Structure formats: structure tokens, C-alpha cells
Amino acid sequence: MKFALAAKTQSWVVAAMICAGLWAHAPPAAAQANPSAVTECASNTAMEPCVTRARAMVASQQYRAAADYLEGACIRGARAACDELWPILLEPIYGLRDGARFYSVFEASCKAGSMGSCQDGALVAAGASGSEHTIAYKDYGRVRAFGDPGCAQNRMEACYGLMLLYSNSDSPYRNLDQAIVYARKVCDNGEWSGCTIGSGLIDGLSNVEVATRSADLYALNGGACRAGQEAFCKGLGNIGKMAGRVDQYGPQDAFHMFMVDQAISDNNWGGSVAYAVNEARSPAAIRHAIERASSLGKMEYVAQNDLSSIQSHYTQEQAGQIASTEMARRSGLAGQQNPASAPTQESFADAVAERNRQADQVRDANRGKKLSCYVKDGRRICSYN
């Protein structure tokens, strides 16, 4: 049984609901297997012959008899028998439509140690079996009976069912903490949809909560990136830095520093400082932004009013000294004369006015801009507008 992604098309769901309504009026299937099948399939050595006989019965459309022969073998752990049995019990083409028998047989098989049955039961109960006809048998209350033992043995499909149990909006057991735990397990087992689902859960949180869970976000986005989901690669390094700063700076400042790094990664050096000064108003972010702009040699892009603010409030710190040095540099440029041209007092005034005009352009390019964020492909993207 292959699992399906959580998202389904509307027409698919409507079709499943119509089918469910028709099945509800069908007569119940027999509760017990055919006595002759029980007798013939009583020993482990008889399991393979019973599966072979059941396949022949399916070919001749003796579906109920086939189910009787497969049931005992499935319960005793014959994977081939379980693979043949679940569609006969659940798919409408076979006519049995017996969800109760499916859960009874597969739970017994799971308890007997068949991890394949555990993962199949978890997927059906979570509504993600991959078959449109099994959605009617979704039962969140049954997921853990299959998912817990299966996931404990690192069966990814069982972990996937638990992830849906705790993440789906229609689940009465929805729990963000548990959803992220199982999303990590699914992701770590190589299923990239678990990475993107977990990332999306974190992206929907507040800034502080995003930073608090940034180690999980880094792992989830990294898993998606390695699986070829390129949208999750951008900013991955900055998320890792944020995760490394939470303990030292706290989640709020760690997030603001992350936003500074994101702006720098987009070559918006002036915007990174403007965000720190005007939006974040965080000393840690301001120090980080001005020091990064200086180390990258991009101080010319920092708005004059932001430099003035930093110089005023951080006079005795490196940040204030960097701002003072840049302001002095700009003043010196405005006052420089080119000996070769021997400018007149009028041309010097023009030079000062031009430099002031350039500084105003830099300031206006960032001043008043608002930070806007949106989520695309499970990733938070921010820019200044």
C-alpha cells in the first residue's frame, strides 16, 4: 500500500463521499472466515498455498472466498496475503466493503509483529492510503494502534499516519508539537513531503515561535532541499544561523538577526540596517546589521538618518564608531577638492549639493519601506516594499 499526500482534489473527495453514501446501505459482510479456509490455512506452511488459491479465486471473481483464505495468512504475518486482502475488503469493485473486518484483521496482524500491517492500518486510518475508495474508512481514533508500533520500528508510512493525525486540521487530536516530531521522523526517513509539511507548520507560527523551532525548520528545509525542492534551499544557511543564536540572544533577537541576514543575502545592505533600526528596534540586530554592512564594505548604502541614529545611541560601542566613521567619510567626500580642476566656490557648493542629493536618494530608497512576508512552497519569504 502506498501512502498519498495529504492534499486531495475537491472532485476526488466528493466522489469518495458519494461512494461512502452508497456503501452505507450495502449489507454487511460476513464476520467470520469460511470454516474450510480456516482449516486449510491453519499452519504457517500452508500460508503460501492459501495465497495462491486466493489469487485464483479473485481471478474467478470469488472475492469473499478469497478473503477467507487470505485472512488467516495475513494475521500470521504473510505480507503477500495482506497485500492481496486489503483491496478486497475495501475497494468497491470487490463488493465486500468491510472496513470493520479490515481493521480487525490488520490490527491482529500488526500486534503479531507484522510491521507492514501496522503501516497499512495507519495510512487507512489517517485517510492517506493512496486509494480514493478508502477515504470513507478514515478513523483518527485508530491511527495510534497502528502508527505507534510501526513508527517505533521506523516504518516511515506509520510515522506518516501519525504526522497526519497530529497535523490535519480536521483531526480532533491535532497537536503541533507532536506533528513536528513525526514530520521530522518522516523527513529523516527520506520522504520529502514530510519535510515540506513540517516546514509549513512552522512557517505559520509567530516570529518568536519560528525562531524557537528554527532547529527543526533547518532540518526540515534541509531535507526538502536535498530531495531537490529548490525553493527550500534559499535562506537555509540563515535559518541555521538563527537556530545557533537562539540560546545566546533569545528567540526574538535571533529572528531579527535572521531577517537582517536575509536582506543581506538579497544584496539589500541598506535595507538590512533600515530594518534593524526602524522595524526591529533591537540592539542585537542593529549591531549585527551595521557590523555586517561594514565588514562587507557596503556602508555607502546605509541611509544617513540610520547612521545618525546609530551614532547617537551607540556612541561608546563599535556600532556607533562605525556609523561615525562613515558619516565622517561622507563629509570628507563632500569637502574634497580636485587640485586638477581647481573648483570655484560655486562648483564646490554644487559638489556638496550633489553629495547631499545622493545621500537623500539612499535614504529615500529605504525610508518608509515596509517589510512584507508571505509563504510560498512551505517557505517564509520576506522583502521590503
Side-chain angles (χ1 to χ4, degrees), residues 36 42 45 64 90-91 108 166-167 174 188-189 200 234 248 268 277 281 296 301 303 335 340-341 354 356 367 369 385:
S36 62
T45 57
R64 188 177 300 280
L90 301 182
E91 297 279 1
Y166 294 118
S167 65
R174 182 175 168 84
D188 292 345
N189 273 300
K234 185 177 180 181
Q248 180 179 356
N268 191 353
V277 172
R281 300 180 182 179
L296 293 169
Y301 294 96
S341 61
E354 174 62 19
N356 287 339
R367 191 175 185 178
K369 287 187 175 182
N385 300 306

Side-chain angles (χ1 to χ4, degrees), residues 26-198:
Q32 296 182 341
N34 186 321
S36 62
V38 173
T39 301
E40 293 180 36
C41 304
S43 67
N44 289 340
T45 57
M47 287 194 292
E48 185 174 345
C50 282
V51 172
T52 301
R53 184 168 181 180
R55 287 172 176 161
M57 292 175 175
V58 170
S60 62
Q61 300 184 3
Q62 300 176 57
Y63 304 128
R64 188 177 300 280
D68 292 343
Y69 274 84
L70 293 168
E71 179 176 315
C74 178
I75 290 175
R76 290 198 301 279
R79 183 61 185 163
C82 297
D83 288 342
E84 297 282 346
L85 179 60
W86 78 261
I88 294 175
L89 294 177
L90 301 182
E91 297 279 1
I93 188 174
Y94 300 103
L96 273 67
R97 306 176 296 280
D98 195 343
R101 187 176 181 184
F102 166 83
Y103 281 122
S104 175
V105 172
F106 276 70
E107 187 170 351
S109 179
C110 177
K111 288 180 178 179
S114 174
M115 293 300 104
S117 295
C118 295
Q119 69 184 34
D120 288 351
L123 291 175
V124 171
S129 70
S131 168
E132 66 184 72
H133 301 297
T134 65
I135 190 68
Y137 302 107
K138 181 169 69 173
D139 185 346
Y140 286 121
R142 294 181 180 271
V143 173
R144 290 194 60 189
F146 298 99
D148 285 349
C151 190
Q153 296 299 317
N154 292 318
R155 298 303 289 258
M156 185 268 294
E157 293 88 345
C159 298
Y160 193 93
L162 289 169
M163 178 187 69
L164 297 183
L165 171 70
Y166 294 118
S167 65
N168 281 357
S169 59
D170 65 334
S171 172
Y173 304 94
R174 182 175 168 84
N175 181 303
L176 180 64
D177 291 329
Q178 290 298 309
I180 292 173
V181 167
Y182 288 107
R184 281 287 305 269
K185 266 207 145 181
V186 172
C187 181
D188 292 345
N189 273 300
E191 174 48 48
W192 66 265
S193 64
C195 309
T196 59
I197 289 173

